[in-house]
Amino acid sequence: MSTSDGEQTGREQKFELKKQIGLWGAVALATSSMVGSGIFVSPVGVLNAVHGSVGVSLLIWFGCGVIAMMSSLCYCELGTTFGVSGGDYNNFKLAYGPLMAFLLVCSKSFWQPGNAATLQIFARYLLGPLFGDGCNPPEVAIKVIAFLTLSFLIYLNHRSVTTSVYFEIFFTAVKFLALMMIAVVGIVHLTNGRRAGIYNFQHAFDSPQTSKLTLADIARGFHFGIFPYSGWSMLNNVTEEIQDMKKNLPRAAILSLTSVTIIYLFVNVGYLSVLGVPEMLSSKAVAVDFAQQVLGAMAWFIPTAVCISSVGTQNASYLSEARIAFVAARSGFMPMLYSTIHVQWISPTVALCSLGLVISFFLLLGDFDVLMEAFGFVMWTFCFLSAASLLILRWKMPNVHRPYKVPLLIPIIVCIMSAYFVVAPLIDNPSFVYFYAIGFYLLISIIYYIFLVRKCRIPGMERFNTFVQKFVLVAETEWEGFEYERNH
């Protein structure tokens, strides 16, 4: 049987997560994590943040892709060096200590505005045709559909990792077909003399509002622009399940980021080739407005593709994010139940169910714009900390073998840009959402002190753990510790 990166052994198979993700499966997972509902709605948010400046909005989309690529390369070095699933958990623990690792795990496990926002977008696009033009679906109906979709995807990831990966490969192909349709049709209309498109690109940088732009406006634009890229780090969450990981992790990251950045730029050009800036700024569903104007009888395909993209993104997200709590629990940083996997399906069932409950809470909490503000703030914060951890570990562990080594300038640039995108909006126009996030971190720090420093225990927890393990048929894995810790 296959063990790590192609080695064969005659030993009895260990009870642990298996290497079921090949190169193209990894590319599909990373791509699908990024290409979701965001590209169908975020163009309006970016354009609005920069006061309707077409040129600046396109530069922001490109800039987000460049930063995502640089950050992804940093993740490649960290992932191939330590070979541990769980995203930033291991490198945060080594670079910053246990408190920061715990904050990361809790943020990824219990702060889920991005997934909740994507589910709402999916439900809105799915229900939209049933209510006709100009009629918005009831919020209750949106939340019910979002919850049912969430439940189905959590079950799918519990039932079969392989099926989940095949699911991603299929839906990734459908996503790219829809995005290419928007890009090609829009550019064809532009070359045929579409007046709105010609005006947009002739006056890309000389909008009357461009001169009023502030650095904080640009930072807010990046908050919206980064949302559609927000799956670039997911492969590090499933590192232990990638076949030939030391080669396939960097390959998959580069292939996925390059293709996504290119297609996002072309899709924005497609939108702007057909719709005027005022039309886009007033649009609740820019992809649907685009389709209604230029696709005729095929207009139905775009909202269908939005729904497919959203579902695919959520599926990839659940597959990867459940592994963060799972990996942390193996080393005692989360309750023991999170470190268990199903005895038949070999999936982290408890971590998946917990993730579903948290996302359900955020579905009930707030509207899309509030969720996006919260998501952007947290996203850029951890982007900074991840790149900085690479620099710290280069200094603390200079002799550790690094199969893939990124140029030092790249993590430095990522740190500078990420810090700016966090600090600028706070200084210019602080939102209450940011302070909710800060309050969340303070609460998690108190929990860390009580349960991991003082080692307080909840009475009856052992009996509860035993009951849950028997009820959902899960058991702890045969984990031998992090490879780095075993060798040092």
Side-chain angles (χ1 to χ4, degrees):
M1 81 149 201
S2 176
T3 55
S4 63
D5 290 348
E7 295 178 41
Q8 300 290 324
T9 179
R11 296 184 308 167
E12 186 177 342
Q13 190 171 356
K14 277 188 178 182
F15 183 63
E16 60 184 3
L17 296 177
K18 309 305 177 190
K19 291 187 177 295
Q20 304 177 73
I21 305 173
L23 172 61
W24 294 111
V27 171
L29 284 172
T31 303
S32 193
S33 293
M34 291 181 277
V35 182
S37 58
I39 187 57
F40 298 102
V41 293
S42 285
V44 177
V46 174
L47 197 60
N48 184 60
V50 296
H51 306 308
S53 173
V54 170
V56 175
S57 71
L58 291 176
L59 289 176
I60 285 176
W61 280 98
F62 178 72
C64 285
V66 171
I67 295 172
M69 174 65 82
M70 290 192 293
S71 179
S72 182
L73 295 177
C74 295
Y75 276 104
C76 288
E77 176 175 325
L78 294 167
T80 55
T81 299
F82 298 106
V84 178
S85 293
D88 282 311
Y89 167 72
N90 186 55
N91 45 290
F92 272 36
K93 185 180 177 182
L94 294 173
Y96 303 118
L99 174 58
M100 285 302 300
F102 185 71
L103 288 174
L104 168 84
V105 173
C106 290
S107 295
K108 297 293 185 179
S109 302
F110 304 117
W111 187 261
Q112 289 290 333
N115 283 327
T118 300
L119 284 169
Q120 288 190 41
I121 296 167
F122 160 76
R124 192 176 298 278
Y125 271 82
L126 182 68
L127 294 172
L130 301 178
F131 290 85
D133 295 338
C135 297
N136 292 320
E139 288 299 317
V140 173
I142 289 173
K143 294 183 187 300
V144 168
I145 293 297
F147 175 75
L148 292 175
T149 305
L150 169 66
S151 301
F152 166 74
L153 293 176
I154 291 293
Y155 175 77
L156 176 67
N157 277 275
H158 150 73
R159 180 64 174 75
S160 174
V161 174
T162 303
T163 301
S164 182
V165 172
Y166 286 147
F167 187 89
E168 286 308 312
I169 293 173
F170 169 73
F171 280 104
T172 297
V174 176
K175 293 177 186 187
F176 270 83
L177 177 61
L179 295 177
M180 287 303 298
M181 179 182 289
I182 292 173
V184 171
V185 170
I187 292 171
V188 168
H189 276 264
L190 179 66
T191 58
N192 288 337
R194 184 91 176 189
R195 293 179 63 184
I198 292 173
Y199 180 86
N200 284 340
F201 293 108
Q202 284 182 341
H203 301 273
F205 290 98
D206 60 1
S207 166
Q209 299 297 323
T210 303
S211 60
K212 300 179 182 180
L213 282 175
T214 66
L215 293 177
D217 292 330
I218 294 173
R220 277 191 291 271
F222 271 88
H223 275 212
F224 280 95
I226 203 61
F227 176 53
Y229 289 96
S230 60
W232 75 74
S233 64
M234 70 81 57
L235 290 178
N236 283 50
N237 295 347
V238 294
T239 301
E240 295 171 31
E241 297 168 78
I242 298 176
Q243 299 166 0
D244 198 7
M245 176 270 299
K246 293 179 181 179
K247 292 182 180 179
N248 285 337
L249 180 61
R251 289 173 180 173
I254 293 170
L255 285 171
S256 59
L257 258 301
T258 301
S259 58
V260 167
T261 301
I262 292 171
I263 195 64
Y264 279 2
L265 283 172
F266 275 106
V267 168
N268 275 277
V269 170
Y271 287 143
L272 292 164
S273 297
V274 171
L275 302 173
V277 169
E279 286 181 284
M280 288 190 64
L281 293 179
S282 62
S283 175
K284 296 294 184 182
V286 64
V288 172
D289 291 344
F290 172 92
Q292 290 173 345
Q293 289 202 28
V294 299
L295 292 183
M298 289 293 294
W300 60 269
F301 181 71
I302 296 301
T304 303
V306 175
C307 293
I308 291 172
S309 295
S310 301
V311 171
T313 301
Q314 290 296 285
N315 179 66
S317 176
Y318 304 159
L319 186 148
S320 68
E321 291 183 1
R323 270 65 178 173
I324 300 175
F326 167 79
V327 170
R330 292 187 308 191
S331 53
F333 272 61
M334 290 286 281
M336 181 275 292
L337 284 172
Y338 283 87
S339 68
T340 61
I341 60 178
H342 196 274
V343 297
Q344 182 177 1
W345 308 126
I346 316 298
S347 60
T349 299
V350 174
L352 281 166
C353 291
S354 174
L355 183 65
L357 290 173
V358 171
I359 296 172
S360 298
F361 169 76
F362 275 92
L363 280 173
L364 300 174
L365 189 60
D367 62 21
F368 177 79
D369 288 338
V370 171
L371 293 176
M372 283 303 92
E373 279 194 85
F375 179 85
F377 178 75
V378 174
M379 182 78 181
W380 285 118
T381 299
F382 282 109
C383 185
F384 167 82
L385 291 172
S386 178
S389 73
L390 185 149
L391 297 173
I392 293 170
L393 293 176
R394 286 270 192 99
W395 172 67
K396 291 177 68 174
M397 304 176 181
N399 298 322
V400 171
H401 174 61
R402 291 171 167 84
Y404 176 86
K405 199 169 183 178
V406 71
L408 196 61
L409 182 62
I410 287 180
I412 293 173
I413 293 174
V414 173
C415 286
I416 294 171
M417 298 301 293
S418 300
Y420 164 67
F421 297 138
V422 170
V423 173
L426 280 174
I427 295 175
D428 182 72
N429 185 24
S431 168
F432 72 92
V433 175
Y434 304 150
F435 296 103
Y436 280 161
I438 293 170
F440 173 80
Y441 293 145
L442 291 175
L443 175 62
I444 295 304
S445 299
I446 294 171
I447 293 173
Y448 171 82
Y449 177 77
I450 293 173
F451 291 104
L452 291 180
V453 176
R454 301 290 298 179
K455 299 190 181 300
C456 296
R457 294 292 179 264
I458 300 174
M461 183 56 67
E462 289 186 6
R463 290 194 301 272
F464 175 76
N465 289 342
T466 302
F467 168 77
V468 172
Q469 285 184 267
K470 292 179 178 179
F471 183 73
V472 297
L473 299 178
V474 295
E476 290 187 85
T477 62
E478 299 175 72
W479 185 63
E480 299 175 350
F482 294 127
E483 182 179 355
Y484 173 82
E485 293 177 339
R486 295 199 307 267
N487 296 334
H488 291 76

